[in-house]
Amino acid sequence: MNVQRSVGATRYVGQRTARKEDGRLLVGRGQFTDDVRLPGMLHVTYVRSAVARGRIVSIDTEAAREMPGVHAIYTQADLAALPVQMLSFFFAPIEAPVTLLADGRVACVGEPVAMVIAESRAQAEDAASLVEVTIEEEAPLVTIADARTGPLVHPGRDDNVAAEMGDEDALDAIQPLIDGAAHVVTQTVHHQRIAQSPMECRACVASPDGTGEMTVWMGCQSPHLAARYLSLALGLPAESIRVIAKDVGGGFGLKNIPWREEVAVVVAARLFGRPLKWIEDRFEALTASSHAREQEATLTAGFDAEGRLTAGWCDYACNNGAWPMGEDANIAVHMFMWPAYKLPAYGFITRGWYTNTMGLGAYRGPWAMETLLRETLLDKAARRLGISPVEIRRRNLVYLSDQPHTSTLGVEVNDITPGECLEKLVANVDIAGFRKEQKEARRQGRYLGLGFAAYIEPTGAAGTMAPMTGETAQLRIEPTGKVTAMLSTHSQGHGTATTMAQVIAEQLGVLYEDVSVFEGDSAIGAFGPGAAGSRQGVIAGGATWRASQLLAEKVKVVAAHLSNAGPDAVTISGGMVHVEGAPEMSRSLKEIAEIAYGEPGRLPEGMASGLEAQFRYQPPPVTMTSAAHCCMVEVDAETGFVKILRWISSEDCGTVINPGVVEGQIAGGLAQAIGQVLLEEMPYDARGNPLAATFKDYLMPAISDVPDFEYIHANTPAQTIGGMRGVGEGGAIIGPPTLVNAIADALSPFCEIEELTLPLTPARILDVIEQRDVSGTRDRANRDEAARARDEMAEAPPLASEVSAQGPQASIDGDWNMTLKAPMGGQSFLAHFEADGAELSGYLSAPDGRQDFSGGTFENGRMQFMVKVDNPMKVTLKYDLQAGADTITGKCKMGMFGTAKVTAVRV
Amino acid sequence: MSEHRIELTVNGRPHSARVEARMSLGEFLREELGYTGTHLACEHGVCGACTVSVDGVAMRSCLMLAVQADGADVGTVEGLAAADGTLHPVQQALRDNFGLQCGFCTPGIAITLTTVLTDNPRASEAEMEAAMSGHVCRCTGYQGIRRAIRQLAGHGAGEAA
């Protein structure tokens, strides 16, 4: 061996290294949750509501209890013995009164009503079918439009708004700018409901061990997060719950947090005292797992005569269903709509609505609607202005030369490259040639289209939201000279064991084969939220990068000491430790490790024995990824079928650890994008029944639906250790507008797609080509409207705000414990009020400071006052409260951060 | 419930068991015999994850009853690699081309491609891709699977180092 090889002589970062995970997965030796079987384990099945909305009159379990193999049947009354507070991904309490099993009322089809515990899954299912649930059915609210006008989904709330942000009043300032623009372009998108559909459905095995301990195997996206969630939700010590998830068959956001069924299994296992297993079937996965995406939004933008953006306004609504995994108005849609574009003024109103449908969950790029709205609007504008889609982006994108740049909502970017990615893309695609071919094809009655899109994505977020943290890498060189890595990472297909081992092998100077990665267990490593927000490559990559360097430094000090040389003279390569100028002093890592563990007396004085290093990496709060994509399609004008001819991705995810893994992430996201645009839909009927109950109804993209993707990597290193940028979600974000734009370009000889309703089924494409309602979309909308009009005639329960007591005005003077429910968690503080007639003054006091206010009003129990806040951003909080004798309720408008619910009780 | 006695071989090993008439072959392989490499992902015959070979023919083990496999020669993903651990060319091609991510659908895909190639070692890319039309993969966008197919058809080498 050439003894003078330096560190890094063996390049692993950047190589298409074969995956470590494949060894077990390809031979059927993985360990998915359903592969776990424990002595005494019983099986759980849920009885679910077949009714979307109503009062539970009775749950008759008698016949079911008599069935063979049945051990227990639980309802909410039984599970309530162990109190549970369901939480969002941000560990904030869910606002809707969600219980593990339905509590007196059902609010959507598929809601779990009872749990059957039996010796086999088949026996549990047999018994479940005999549980008789009688429900007094009420007319459900299914659509966002229903939610706006219908009765309350959750009795006792003020309205059906689950979450709200933005400021409608801001339109007063924006509207004149839009009205004064040379061109005004509007894009409305009706985004269908998506079932995330990981190939492995949800699964959970819970085993009560020892005294109050639990071991839980769960299909999740981070065992650490799942364990922390369970301990918080159940109020148990964190160390009492261990979550193991060695192999998980895809997550895509659905498995971000444990939800009702998984938590119920954990609770039931504690109550019943035996290991329980729940394996969701596909019918449940499609109809009763949290759904994603259903949104309606209109974006309006003004352009000057040259096609430069002047102002924008967006009205956005998403269907939160009955029991969302966290109420969500999707503020990220607005935060990330424009930082990559030069838009001088932007405002929005954004709301999430409760309905009697399955709750909202996360899905790869939960805010992806911003890219879809913006990029499809830009292409519409380009056609209107008669300039090319590339040109309109060139005139508006924020190039590196324009940075640092701060968006109107205050998002600063300083190293994004969407423009540079676009230029690279344009340089690699023969646009002129395609346009010529397109022109010729049109003469033959063939309709080709070319679509572009550009975007940026916040990845690797850490330090601003409770679960979004750094990552820990614990490394050691074993006495054998081989390397063990204990990581906080988790793979549901991401290949983190592979990419992290590549980083370690390169930075430590060992062979990739000699690195073993342990992850997927909350007892291993330290807290990390796993796969959520395209973060593991960025943060865990940085953690392993630095930890490897720290360990290499220790090896060098030991080797230098043993060789009487300076540490700078020592290099590690291929598992061998070399001393510059002294080839005879070369030792294997194994020799050094044997000394470090077995003969610590030979180590430098005071050095700890063994060869270990640990590093927890806290990256910058956000790391931006950029990309531009284009695709080419042919639309069959006779059938409305779309064939994707080519798809080229030009992305900048910084340092690429493994191109095979990176391209795999992009491709997976793009396939989901294709499904979203052309195939997938979870429709509901008017009675609140989810209609896609099998994979014959819910159309997943097949191999024939997906073209060969082509990749251009830009590799601008990020300002992080290692320089990685996240890449997990990007394909699913930029894919939909890229494809829609190509289809719209192909259809441009016929007509503009005026309102975009997804999926673009062949019938919906024929709507555009034939300019009539082939798909029945308009007809259905009209029918829905008629149905709503009828519903409005029926007597709906009054909104809570209309029945609030208007009794005599009580004194409010004194101290109150006040709680403000902000979207990312609640805040509690002391409020002091003094009313002098109709004049209101006082202060709000929290450990981090006190804010005084005066000039408020107090009339008929209504308290209105303003408080100015400087931290973390300058914002004026406008309180509008209604006082009772001992309680105060109301709202606080927080500028662009929207409106928070306020409650207070007298001290 | 009626129970039936069946005898079959799985990956060349003989097994006999008493099974309920309603038990699917997939559940039988997993629960009774411990061949957990076969994954049940939709249990209604669409996704293909549970595909096993029955007398050399690719079958959805979620739609076939265990009693129907009486006397059959069943092959699962655990039986593909050689005794010394050498991967079957289909497994190797999937590995060489990043043909899997989460790996849940992979066993069925590996079995299907293996049966195609066993029937016709010179199967074309188009034939193998047509066989793949009966499989759903949510992770890979089928890119690595298509490259693996090309490698198996003799076009191009794998890309993984």
Side-chain angles (χ1 to χ4, degrees):
Chain A
M1 179 182 261
N2 179 352
V3 294
Q4 291 304 324
R5 282 174 72 183
S6 63
V7 175
T10 309
R11 294 292 302 179
Y12 286 107
V13 170
Q15 302 299 309
R16 292 180 191 273
T17 309
R19 297 200 328 158
K20 285 199 179 280
E21 294 84 352
D22 294 358
R24 64 178 185 271
L25 293 173
L26 274 168
V27 297
R29 295 290 176 205
Q31 189 202 63
F32 295 89
T33 300
D34 195 18
D35 301 339
V36 174
R37 48 216 63 215
L38 303 172
M41 186 176 79
L42 300 171
H43 297 260
V44 165
T45 280
Y46 289 99
V47 178
R48 295 180 183 277
S49 177
V51 167
R53 177 189 173 99
R55 187 178 68 84
I56 298 174
V57 177
S58 64
I59 304 171
D60 183 352
T61 60
E62 205 178 307
R65 275 180 210 279
E66 301 304 313
M67 290 295 288
V70 172
H71 284 248
I73 299 175
Y74 285 159
T75 63
Q76 180 58 26
D78 303 302
L79 296 191
L82 205 66
V84 172
Q85 167 70 65
M86 292 299 281
L87 304 168
S88 73
F89 177 72
F90 302 105
F91 302 131
I94 301 291
E95 286 189 41
V98 62
T99 47
L100 298 179
L101 301 174
D103 188 14
R105 287 183 61 81
V106 293
C108 62
V109 169
E111 180 167 4
V113 175
M115 168 197 270
V116 179
I117 299 172
E119 275 168 34
S120 73
R121 185 177 168 200
Q123 286 176 326
E125 286 175 5
D126 289 345
S129 68
L130 293 177
V131 174
E132 271 192 52
V133 183
T134 308
I135 296 171
E136 201 174 78
E137 190 173 354
E138 299 163 12
L141 284 68
V142 179
T143 63
I144 292 169
D146 291 346
R148 290 183 206 271
T149 56
L152 294 174
V153 170
H154 297 299
R157 290 186 62 92
D158 294 347
D159 50 37
N160 286 322
V161 176
E164 178 181 316
M165 286 185 148
D167 190 356
E168 261 168 328
D169 298 344
L171 184 57
D172 296 343
I174 300 284
Q175 193 64 53
L177 300 175
I178 292 174
D179 292 342
H183 304 276
V184 178
V185 182
T186 294
Q187 175 67 323
T188 295
V189 177
H190 305 274
H191 201 305
Q192 82 275 40
R193 181 177 286 242
I194 291 291
Q196 295 90 325
S197 303
M199 292 312 294
E200 183 195 23
C201 299
R202 291 183 296 162
C204 182
V205 174
S207 178
D209 302 329
T211 312
E213 293 168 23
M214 298 284 293
T215 307
V216 179
W217 289 260
M218 188 189 292
C220 63
Q221 293 178 205
S222 161
H224 291 285
L225 190 139
R228 188 168 158 192
Y229 183 101
L230 289 171
S231 76
L232 290 172
L234 275 67
L236 296 171
E239 64 276 11
S240 67
I241 294 176
R242 178 183 179 190
V243 175
I244 302 171
K246 184 162 186 180
D247 290 307
V248 176
F252 311 117
L254 173 67
K255 300 174 185 172
N256 257 345
I257 52 172
W259 199 231
R260 301 172 81 174
E261 290 86 346
E262 294 98 320
V263 179
V265 169
V266 172
V267 168
R270 282 182 78 90
L271 293 176
F272 198 70
R274 279 178 72 165
L276 299 180
K277 176 189 270 190
W278 172 63
I279 303 298
E280 184 181 53
D281 70 20
R282 186 58 62 182
F283 171 67
E284 294 177 287
L286 284 166
T287 61
S289 276
S290 300
H291 291 151
R293 288 290 198 271
E294 186 185 337
Q295 303 155 97
E296 286 173 9
T298 296
L299 175 66
T300 303
F303 294 84
D304 68 15
E306 280 77 47
R308 290 189 175 81
L309 286 156
T310 58
W313 178 262
C314 183
D315 187 333
Y316 171 96
C318 66
N319 193 333
N320 275 213
W323 313 108
M325 293 168 112
E327 284 79 1
D328 192 18
N330 219 337
I331 182 70
V333 164
H334 308 283
M335 294 298 286
F336 298 105
M337 186 152 349
W338 295 112
Y341 285 87
K342 295 169 213 153
L343 175 77
Y346 177 66
F348 64 90
I349 182 74
T350 191
R351 294 188 183 96
W353 294 91
Y354 290 119
T355 62
N356 294 114
T357 61
M358 191 45 66
L360 172 73
Y363 184 51
R364 207 172 197 167
W367 62 93
M369 187 69 153
E370 51 86 18
T371 297
L372 180 61
L373 281 164
R374 181 193 63 235
E375 295 298 314
T376 53
L377 181 141
L378 284 173
D379 266 34
K380 235 182 191 181
R383 281 188 291 276
R384 180 90 61 82
L385 272 72
I387 59 177
S388 79
V390 171
E391 187 53 37
I392 199 164
R393 288 178 174 80
R394 278 182 177 150
R395 290 181 194 179
N396 289 289
L397 273 170
V398 174
Y399 283 75
L400 274 174
S401 55
D402 301 314
Q403 297 170 46
H405 167 84
T406 305
S407 77
T408 53
L409 295 187
V411 176
E412 190 191 302
V413 291
N414 55 32
D415 66 347
I416 63 167
T417 59
E420 288 72 14
C421 287
L422 179 67
E423 298 304 334
K424 228 173 198 175
L425 183 63
V426 169
N428 281 276
V429 178
D430 179 8
I431 299 176
F434 177 84
R435 292 296 181 205
K436 192 164 162 253
E437 193 186 334
Q438 184 182 40
K439 210 168 163 187
E440 280 161 17
R442 278 180 191 165
R443 273 192 228 115
Q444 301 157 19
R446 288 171 51 234
Y447 296 90
L448 306 183
L450 171 62
F452 283 90
Y455 96 123
I456 60 164
E457 179 194 355
T459 73
T464 53
M465 293 168 276
M468 301 303 262
T469 65
E471 292 271 342
T472 294
Q474 296 171 337
L475 306 185
R476 56 176 187 263
I477 298 168
E478 305 286 0
T480 57
K482 312 281 181 181
V483 180
T484 299
M486 315 283 270
L487 304 181
S488 47
T489 48
H490 189 243
S491 169
Q492 307 100 56
H494 304 81
T496 37
T498 300
T499 49
M500 297 304 124
Q502 286 177 260
V503 168
I504 293 163
E506 175 156 310
Q507 293 303 316
L508 194 49
V510 299
L511 298 176
Y512 171 74
E513 296 72 25
D514 289 347
V515 180
S516 297
V517 173
F518 293 86
E519 55 176 358
D521 183 337
S522 67
I524 292 174
F527 181 81
S534 303
R535 52 179 301 289
Q536 298 197 99
V538 182
I539 310 177
T544 49
W545 199 288
R546 187 77 190 107
S548 304
Q549 291 173 336
L550 292 172
L551 187 50
E553 281 165 26
K554 179 163 187 182
V555 170
K556 287 180 190 176
V557 171
V558 173
H561 181 74
L562 293 172
S563 315
N564 243 340
D568 291 346
V570 180
T571 56
I572 315 168
S573 175
M576 291 295 293
V577 183
H578 309 291
V579 180
E580 195 182 344
E584 72 285 358
M585 302 298 286
S586 289
R587 287 182 166 91
S588 67
L589 266 179
K590 179 168 179 280
E591 284 175 64
I592 303 259
E594 280 172 343
I595 292 166
Y597 284 89
E599 301 173 73
R602 293 175 66 188
L603 296 176
E605 203 177 325
M607 180 179 269
S609 69
L611 291 175
E612 300 178 355
Q614 170 165 334
F615 185 71
R616 183 166 182 86
Y617 180 39
Q618 184 65 34
V622 164
T623 297
M624 291 290 184
T625 293
S626 308
H629 283 213
C630 77
C631 83
M632 300 163 189
V633 300
E634 176 166 355
V635 177
D636 186 324
E638 294 297 314
T639 62
F641 273 93
V642 174
K643 183 173 171 53
I644 303 171
L645 306 171
R646 271 187 85 184
W647 195 306
I648 305 119
S649 150
S650 167
E651 118 291 333
D652 187 351
C653 70
T655 304
V656 171
I657 300 173
N658 186 328
V661 170
V662 163
E663 290 166 10
Q665 287 297 312
I666 296 171
L670 289 179
Q672 289 173 335
I674 291 168
Q676 227 165 279
V677 173
L678 298 177
L679 299 164
E680 298 176 36
E681 181 170 26
M682 175 58 67
Y684 270 72
D685 71 10
R687 285 188 68 189
N689 292 301
L691 297 179
T694 74
F695 274 160
K696 287 187 172 82
D697 319 296
Y698 192 84
L699 303 179
M700 299 273 277
I703 194 166
S704 50
D705 298 310
V706 182
D708 286 337
F709 299 124
E710 303 161 52
Y711 308 94
I712 302 164
H713 299 295
N715 303 21
T716 311
Q719 301 155 34
T720 55
I721 297 176
M724 283 75 78
R725 300 169 188 272
V727 74
E729 291 161 290
I733 300 172
I734 196 171
T738 305
L739 180 51
V740 168
N741 284 344
I743 294 168
D745 183 48
L747 296 180
S748 61
F750 299 101
C751 207
E752 191 66 57
I753 304 175
E754 284 307 333
E755 288 197 2
L756 176 63
T757 301
L758 294 178
L760 281 171
T761 57
R764 288 206 176 112
I765 285 172
L766 290 177
D767 289 349
V768 180
I769 293 172
E770 301 185 10
Q771 280 302 290
R772 61 191 184 91
D773 192 18
V774 179
S775 66
T777 306
R778 257 175 287 161
D779 185 41
R780 197 156 46 242
N782 292 341
R783 274 207 311 276
D784 287 351
E785 209 156 294
R788 272 199 301 282
R790 274 198 310 279
D791 284 352
E792 277 167 36
M793 283 185 277
E795 204 171 314
L799 296 182
S801 55
E802 291 166 11
V803 295
S804 63
Q806 292 282 335
Q809 181 162 319
S811 165
I812 51 151
D813 288 5
D815 289 345
W816 299 74
N817 282 326
M818 187 172 273
T819 302
L820 192 133
K821 274 191 185 167
M824 307 278 180
Q827 286 177 37
S828 293
F829 44 86
L830 182 86
H832 178 84
F833 298 119
E834 285 172 26
D836 182 4
E839 274 182 37
L840 182 65
S841 62
Y843 59 83
L844 306 178
S845 172
D848 54 353
R850 170 176 147 163
Q851 290 133 358
D852 292 273
F853 72 89
S854 57
T857 60
F858 179 52
E859 282 175 283
N860 297 326
R862 188 179 184 189
M863 309 163 62
Q864 289 176 291
F865 59 96
M866 289 192 282
V867 178
K868 285 194 192 317
V869 178
D870 289 334
N871 244 327
M873 285 175 89
K874 279 199 174 173
V875 60
T876 300
L877 307 176
K878 296 178 189 170
Y879 285 86
D880 187 349
L881 310 174
Q882 186 73 35
D886 295 308
T887 57
I888 293 175
T889 57
K891 290 182 177 180
C892 173
K893 277 187 122 178
M894 308 181 293
M896 66 172 243
F897 295 104
T899 303
K901 300 244 155 111
V902 177
T903 54
V905 291
R906 204 179 270 284
V907 174
Chain B
M1 302 302 133
S2 63
E3 284 204 342
H4 301 264
R5 184 172 179 79
I6 60 169
E7 291 186 7
L8 72 171
T9 65
V10 180
N11 302 330
R13 290 186 184 165
H15 292 275
S16 64
R18 291 190 67 82
V19 294
E20 276 191 30
R22 67 173 177 175
M23 181 176 273
S24 73
L25 176 59
E27 190 183 357
F28 172 68
L29 290 169
R30 288 181 53 81
E31 301 298 322
E32 305 296 322
L33 303 186
Y35 291 101
T36 54
T38 298
H39 298 151
L40 299 167
C42 79
E43 295 175 275
H44 49 249
V46 179
C47 79
C50 68
T51 304
V52 298
S53 69
V54 178
D55 296 328
V57 179
M59 297 292 282
R60 308 285 207 221
S61 70
C62 70
L63 293 186
M64 184 170 178
L65 297 171
V67 289
Q68 292 175 292
D70 187 22
D73 179 15
V74 174
T76 72
V77 70
E78 289 95 334
L80 288 183
D84 68 356
T86 305
L87 294 179
H88 185 280
V90 167
Q91 292 169 309
Q92 190 62 48
L94 287 166
R95 177 162 210 200
D96 290 346
N97 292 283
F98 298 90
L100 61 150
Q101 287 180 23
C102 81
F104 202 75
C105 69
T106 310
I109 291 170
I111 293 286
T112 289
L113 293 178
T114 306
T115 56
V116 171
L117 287 168
T118 305
D119 284 353
N120 175 12
R122 292 210 182 96
S124 70
E125 197 179 315
E127 284 168 290
M128 280 186 272
E129 188 155 331
M132 256 306 294
S133 69
H135 289 269
V136 175
C137 167
R138 191 58 153 171
C139 293
T140 64
Y142 305 99
Q143 304 295 295
I145 297 166
R146 200 181 270 135
R147 285 192 301 267
I149 286 173
R150 286 182 188 139
Q151 180 175 328
L152 291 165
H155 312 136
E159 59 170 27

